[in-house]
Amino acid sequence: MTSSYQVVWKGPVNRRSGLGIASRGYVRALRAQGVNVTLREQNTHFPKNRKVLIYHHSPSTLNIEKERQRYGKIIINTVWETTRIPQRWIRPINQADAVCVPSLQNKQAMLNSGIKVPIYIVPHGVHSQMYKPTKKRMPSKISKEKFTFISIFGFQHRKNPEALLRAYWEEFSSADNVRLIIKTNGYSSNENEQWIRRQIHAYKAILNISKNTAPIEISTRYLTTKSLRSIYAKGHAFVLPTRGEGVGLPLLESLASGVPVITTGWGGHMDYLTERSSFLVKYKLRPPTVSLNRKSSISHKFRSLFSEKGQLWAEADLGNLKRQMRRAYENPQLCLMKGQRGRKDVLSLSWNRAGSSLKRVIEEVIRKRK
């Protein structure tokens, strides 16, 4: 049965990013729930009061006055990674009818920032039939099977590649039966694989690390879902000492693949991570400008988003990160058990669940008077 209202979805449905994956996921999930969803404005039989705009771009780019002429209700769907949203987002969000966010941490960031409209938590999903466990050989010096850490992230400061690299270099050497596979990408044409490798090499020199370190494999090319699955299939543990996540899509995909995660114990991902499925790293909340201003910062900063007064994010404790990585390395059977638990935990986190949640929000917003 098709809905008695129409949703126009404006979002990055064609982008390869995590935001693009989420946009496509929400649209498909709503359609599976019988919601009439279109990606562009159309002349239809739906009256204005039965037309809903869901805006999934940056809130500061929303022309609220223009869109009010076309839609009875406007819902902003967004995500954020620090304790406060950018100031330029506040006015457009408060002019909308509601805002949807994917996690408790995101809702708190909205409240901290003075958002007055209704805030709904509508979680992301994960394709647990697409990402699923595969049999892998356990690490062994006899079989020469290395313990494999994997990390998938955009090469930006928020993801904290500096802590990841430093912890790995300082904790492991070529004498350890280990490797780190990094799948990453830059954010401009000059941030290619050569640039990323140069940044990493320069950072190693800054740290004055001269010992024979354990191997790192780096890939920066675009990967199909099948190729991404093959990276998860190689991993015994996923590691990302992130400073903040709205959701943490690779963390979800890793758990769905039966691979436990080593990550900072703060952010949107704490809605689904537990000690049973993860190695949680201790942290302290700090203003982003503290680390953004370090000369040793090697990745894309997005300073205009993360340097406003009052914003905080999590700085992983380096010593604890190293201990958690060592613990995972020395206990592959524990990693297997945590991975199995993580897989069970995320089986219920489907896109169908996300679509059902979002449909309820839309219908509640339609019922409410301005």
Side-chain angles (χ1 to χ4, degrees):
M1 184 177 176
T2 306
S3 60
S4 60
Y5 53 88
Q6 183 180 57
V7 169
V8 176
W9 185 280
K10 292 188 178 181
V13 291
N14 295 318
R15 282 174 56 181
R16 292 173 173 176
S17 64
L19 203 61
I21 291 170
S23 222
R24 291 189 293 276
Y26 281 125
V27 168
R28 290 170 183 154
L30 282 176
R31 286 174 175 166
Q33 292 289 323
V35 177
N36 186 317
V37 183
T38 179
L39 301 181
R40 58 184 62 87
E41 296 166 26
Q42 298 173 338
N43 292 323
T44 66
H45 64 278
F46 290 97
K48 179 182 172 181
N49 66 352
R50 304 298 290 178
K51 292 178 72 174
V52 179
L53 170 64
I54 298 185
Y55 197 76
H56 197 207
H57 292 295
S58 171
S60 60
T61 63
L62 173 62
N63 186 332
I64 197 88
E65 291 80 10
K66 177 184 174 184
E67 304 296 9
R68 281 287 179 206
Q69 297 172 19
R70 298 183 178 93
Y71 302 102
K73 299 291 182 180
I74 297 173
I75 300 171
I76 292 175
N77 188 27
T78 194
V79 61
W80 191 244
E81 299 92 3
T82 72
T83 56
R84 288 179 180 269
I85 64 174
Q87 296 244 353
R88 59 187 177 273
W89 286 19
I90 297 172
R91 185 169 180 268
I93 292 176
N94 276 334
Q95 288 179 322
D97 295 287
V99 59
C100 294
V101 294
S103 60
L104 284 166
Q105 180 268 327
N106 271 210
K107 182 174 183 177
Q108 191 59 54
M110 293 283 163
L111 293 171
N112 292 346
S113 305
I115 295 305
K116 305 299 183 186
V117 296
I119 305 166
Y120 296 95
I121 295 178
V122 178
H124 282 198
V126 64
H127 296 290
S128 55
Q129 292 307 308
M130 188 180 296
Y131 296 97
K132 51 189 175 183
T134 57
K135 285 189 177 181
K136 58 174 71 78
R137 296 171 71 182
M138 297 301 283
S140 168
K141 290 185 178 179
I142 299 172
S143 67
K144 296 185 179 179
E145 183 73 20
K146 291 181 180 292
F147 185 98
T148 301
F149 291 107
I150 59 172
S151 194
I152 299 173
F153 59 92
F155 201 69
Q156 62 163 299
H157 188 72
R158 177 173 59 83
K159 300 292 184 174
N160 206 356
E162 298 89 353
L164 168 64
L165 292 164
R166 183 175 181 179
Y168 182 72
W169 284 329
E170 292 183 353
E171 187 62 29
F172 302 100
S173 73
S174 57
D176 291 299
N177 189 42
V178 67
R179 64 175 173 168
L180 169 62
I181 298 176
I182 294 176
K183 164 64 185 81
T184 190
N185 59 272
Y187 291 89
S188 63
S189 58
N190 68 300
E191 293 180 358
N192 54 25
E193 183 165 326
Q194 290 73 29
W195 179 82
I196 290 172
R197 288 182 181 276
R198 283 198 303 271
Q199 294 295 96
I200 291 173
H201 182 75
Y203 181 55
K204 194 173 187 180
I206 289 171
L207 295 177
N208 197 27
I209 293 175
S210 56
K211 73 175 184 178
N212 197 4
T213 52
I216 298 177
E217 300 172 22
I218 299 171
S219 172
T220 63
R221 68 186 188 279
Y222 170 73
L223 297 182
T224 62
T225 300
K226 183 178 179 181
S227 297
L228 267 178
R229 285 203 308 261
S230 71
I231 292 181
Y232 289 115
K234 294 173 185 174
H236 297 101
F238 183 103
V239 56
L240 184 68
T242 178
R243 293 180 163 103
E245 299 291 326
V247 178
L249 186 58
L251 304 179
L252 276 172
E253 293 171 349
S254 183
L255 291 188
S257 303
V259 180
V261 301
I262 304 168
T263 194
T264 318
W266 181 86
H269 50 285
M270 293 308 295
D271 282 12
Y272 56 86
L273 290 188
T274 69
E275 291 281 4
R276 295 185 302 172
S277 65
S278 317
F279 299 87
L280 298 177
V281 177
K282 294 179 181 178
Y283 66 91
K284 290 184 178 178
L285 292 178
R286 292 283 185 264
T289 49
V290 172
S291 57
L292 285 168
N293 292 337
R294 289 189 192 127
K295 291 182 179 179
S296 58
S297 299
I298 61 172
S299 50
H300 198 110
K301 293 182 172 63
F302 293 105
R303 186 181 290 273
S304 65
L305 293 172
F306 299 117
S307 57
E308 292 185 1
K309 187 177 180 181
Q311 288 182 322
L312 300 173
W313 62 17
E315 290 291 343
D317 180 278
L318 186 67
N320 190 247
L321 172 60
K322 290 194 280 189
R323 287 190 291 274
Q324 293 288 40
M325 292 177 73
R326 174 62 67 174
R327 183 180 171 217
Y329 169 74
E330 292 181 349
N331 296 277
Q333 200 63 38
L334 176 62
C335 290
L336 184 63
M337 291 171 57
K338 283 180 178 283
Q340 289 170 344
R341 179 72 251 178
R343 168 71 180 176
K344 288 180 182 177
D345 288 349
V346 301
L347 281 176
S348 62
L349 307 182
S350 66
W351 276 109
N352 186 57
R353 167 178 171 258
S356 179
S357 295
L358 187 49
K359 181 182 179 183
R360 285 196 298 272
V361 169
I362 294 166
E363 293 176 354
E364 184 173 326
V365 171
I366 289 173
R367 285 194 300 269
K368 284 185 177 180
R369 292 186 177 184
K370 186 68 177 173

